[in-house]
Amino acid sequence: MRALRFDGQRIQVQNVAEPEVCEDSVLVNVSLAGICNTDLEIVRGYMGFQGTLGHEFVGTVEQGPAELRGQRVVGEINFACRNCPVCHQGLQRHCPSRTVMGIHDADGAFAERVRVPVANLHPVPDAVADELAVFTEPLAAAFEILEQVHIEPGRECIVLGDGKLGLLVAQVLHHAGARVVCVGKHREKLAILAKRDIETLLLDDWRGEPVSLVVEATGTAEGFERAIAVLRPRGTLVLKSTVAEQLSVDLSPLVIDEIQVVGSRCGPFPPALRALELGAVDVRSLITDRVPLSRGTEALERANAPGALKVLIEV
Amino acid sequence: MRALRFDGQRIQVQNVAEPEVCEDSVLVNVSLAGICNTDLEIVRGYMGFQGTLGHEFVGTVEQGPAELRGQRVVGEINFACRNCPVCHQGLQRHCPSRTVMGIHDADGAFAERVRVPVANLHPVPDAVADELAVFTEPLAAAFEILEQVHIEPGRECIVLGDGKLGLLVAQVLHHAGARVVCVGKHREKLAILAKRDIETLLLDDWRGEPVSLVVEATGTAEGFERAIAVLRPRGTLVLKSTVAEQLSVDLSPLVIDEIQVVGSRCGPFPPALRALELGAVDVRSLITDRVPLSRGTEALERANAPGALKVLIEV
């Protein structure tokens, strides 16, 4: 089968052996996959990953238990042991011996077929088309904030960054009842939120009024410092991006203003699927390109281009 | 009157005018004052403060409302406006227009007399001797952690650092029911905790078993990184020290392990006074020197010396 592989230096579409599936996993025929910024970080060296890239996908179970065959599914990306103290606490996404699809020790979904543990599968409701379902994973990461931080109705909140993740986070928090302002640099990206009645501001127009919740979705040292600077005392900063570089930061404002920093990564799939089913979140407007798997290398280049949001790979 | 002053360059005992008191404040005759690491940071340039140093004190009200005169008191150090949205939320310690005794725009307590707002005073119970009461302010800073983080009975917790603050934090968390291990570099400092049945470890002997709560009380970049490295997924890191320098840190483990960082500064006086009254915390063993105000410069030098813990200034 064909797969988009990274060997530590080159990115190319190759013919590879079919994944082997064992008792607790299935083989999924990938229909559509999405490129995430983490994929772009990985080909810059993040995580030292080598293998088939990709962790956002929707597909159909081809091989596995009879009751699952033919089922349209999305899949959680952390493959946990389900047998250690961390897993027994319900923190499978943090299992210390986990592998992670397309990120750490497990082949990813930019391929004709991908192996996924049964426990990680979620059936996709009929009302959710493939091009929406493929957003389940990043949308779940946005929902993760609601698992970690109590968002009271009407809570004022700044989302810093108008990239893919920022746009999803802003919509999820807005839908949860927060009063969101998304601050970004791209008029056309912010316009997607304005259509959903979410307030937006160009960074240059932002006066930095104090606020008690900021979600940092730029993944830059400047973003971190801007966030700290506008937070009210005892405010909360949600860090949503992993960055390959070391940041040199002054931590004393955290202590003086008693700010809480909450690192936030992968999230729960069920509320994300429900939001897609309800149409509570506009993901379709985020699609800027659709590229066939055979031109996977080009797809990654397009995802890196200025103005790009979600680039989908058609398998 | 005499006061230990810092003019941005030199530290010296000088004769200065008596503080002026207005309607809402009193004049306190200082009996005993304590040197905090923040004082040592200030004379290295932290906060750009100039004036009379010191914010840990116990004394007797000399001038002010009749019902307060003669009362033995300690005083909170943040002088709030009590009239802004932050104050009205009950966050007077974070008032944006506050002055801070001996730290920011208000003269401190290394002096014969100090001005303190009436609202900041707490009477000292008779059972609490001056040499204990003078620890109320740093002990309150340790109690602040209990205001910010839910400590379940038996929660395992590492306190990193065996300085003054680390020793107080370890005792407060132990008394609150946590299972504390204090990790430090000084056998003789850790011995103070061992006497209270608190587990201690020399840094070299520490294997770094994963834990869900770490209090960083070393104020160093290494301390921050060690804390992050031993925290369990979704664990909490309490940052207790302000450091003058910028730290260059890798924030991605915060995101990957979804760690929460909680900045923590000044705390509530009433539980600190009660703990002193009950003898729940041993502060007396922390006193390594007592120096008269007339030799205040020497007192600061002693506080800087290796092995020093609390240096008290006798007024």
Side-chain angles (χ1 to χ4, degrees), chain A residues 23-36:
Chain A
E23 204 185 329
D24 296 331
S25 60
V26 302
L27 203 60
V28 174
N29 250 333
V30 178
S31 319
L32 208 51
I35 299 177
C36 167

Side-chain angles (χ1 to χ4, degrees), chain B residues 5-309:
Chain B
R5 310 269 298 176
F6 177 59
D7 66 3
Q9 298 195 306
R10 282 160 313 166
I11 309 156
Q12 53 188 359
V13 177
Q14 291 178 305
N15 274 311
V16 295
E18 295 282 333
E20 282 181 33
V21 294
C22 48
E23 206 185 326
D24 296 330
S25 61
V26 302
L27 204 60
V28 173
N29 250 331
V30 178
S31 317
L32 208 52
I35 298 177
C36 167
N37 274 8
T38 303
D39 301 317
L40 305 177
E41 291 283 336
I42 284 172
V43 299
R44 287 184 202 114
Y46 176 66
M47 296 297 291
F49 176 76
Q50 297 184 21
T52 300
L53 297 162
H55 57 272
E56 302 177 0
F57 74 95
V58 54
T60 305
V61 177
E62 176 173 297
Q63 196 180 316
E67 67 277 17
L68 291 173
R69 257 174 268 151
Q71 172 73 60
R72 206 156 57 99
V73 293
V74 288
E76 299 199 38
I77 71 172
N78 295 283
F79 301 170
C81 77
R82 302 196 166 255
N83 203 25
C84 70
V86 175
C87 286
H88 290 161
Q89 269 180 69
L91 296 177
Q92 290 88 356
R93 298 197 289 269
H94 289 286
C95 172
S97 53
R98 71 189 181 277
T99 60
V100 188
M101 186 193 291
I103 295 175
H104 175 62
D105 263 1
D107 276 327
F110 297 162
E112 292 182 65
R113 276 166 293 282
V114 62
R115 185 188 78 81
V116 186
V118 169
N120 287 45
L121 295 176
H122 294 266
V124 177
D126 292 341
V128 180
D130 280 354
E131 65 179 9
L132 305 183
V134 73
F135 282 90
T136 308
E137 198 279 335
L139 189 57
F143 271 98
E144 179 70 352
I145 298 171
L146 303 185
E147 274 210 354
Q148 297 177 288
V149 181
H150 178 206
I151 310 282
E152 310 94 321
R155 179 155 186 188
E156 291 187 8
C157 161
I158 296 284
V159 176
L160 268 185
D162 55 11
K164 298 181 279 293
L165 194 54
L167 297 180
L168 294 178
V169 165
Q171 292 189 70
V172 165
L173 295 182
H174 174 75
H175 187 68
R179 204 170 152 241
V180 176
V181 180
C182 182
V183 178
K185 291 181 176 175
H186 308 89
R187 215 176 281 274
E188 65 294 354
K189 293 179 182 178
L190 293 172
I192 294 169
L193 297 178
K195 276 192 299 179
R196 309 286 287 197
D197 288 326
I198 297 171
E199 205 177 322
T200 63
L201 270 176
L202 284 168
L203 183 58
D204 289 339
D205 298 335
W206 183 39
R207 281 176 309 167
E209 294 289 333
V211 69
S212 74
L213 177 61
V214 177
V215 180
E216 204 309 291
T218 73
T220 61
E222 305 89 73
F224 183 84
E225 270 155 25
R226 273 199 192 100
I228 297 288
V230 302
L231 272 168
R232 284 218 182 92
R234 295 249 181 128
T236 301
L237 165 58
V238 178
L239 277 189
K240 217 38 243 192
S241 320
T242 46
V243 191
E245 50 174 327
Q246 290 253 119
L247 301 186
S248 178
V249 290
D250 179 5
L251 294 176
S252 67
L254 292 189
V255 176
I256 293 172
D257 290 334
E258 297 196 316
I259 284 166
Q260 202 161 323
V261 180
V262 179
S264 179
R265 188 172 43 100
C266 298
F269 272 39
L273 279 166
R274 197 170 55 177
L276 291 170
E277 194 174 8
L278 293 172
V281 173
D282 172 18
V283 295
R284 205 172 254 123
S285 301
L286 272 66
I287 304 170
T288 48
D289 277 290
R290 299 177 76 123
V291 180
L293 176 61
S294 56
R295 294 195 275 126
T297 313
E298 185 192 328
L300 281 176
E301 282 161 14
R302 289 215 202 163
N304 243 330
L309 283 167

Side-chain angles (χ1 to χ4, degrees), chain A residues 151-166:
Chain A
I151 310 283
E152 311 94 321
R155 180 156 185 187
E156 291 187 8
C157 161
I158 297 284
V159 175
L160 268 185
D162 55 11
K164 298 182 280 295
L165 192 55

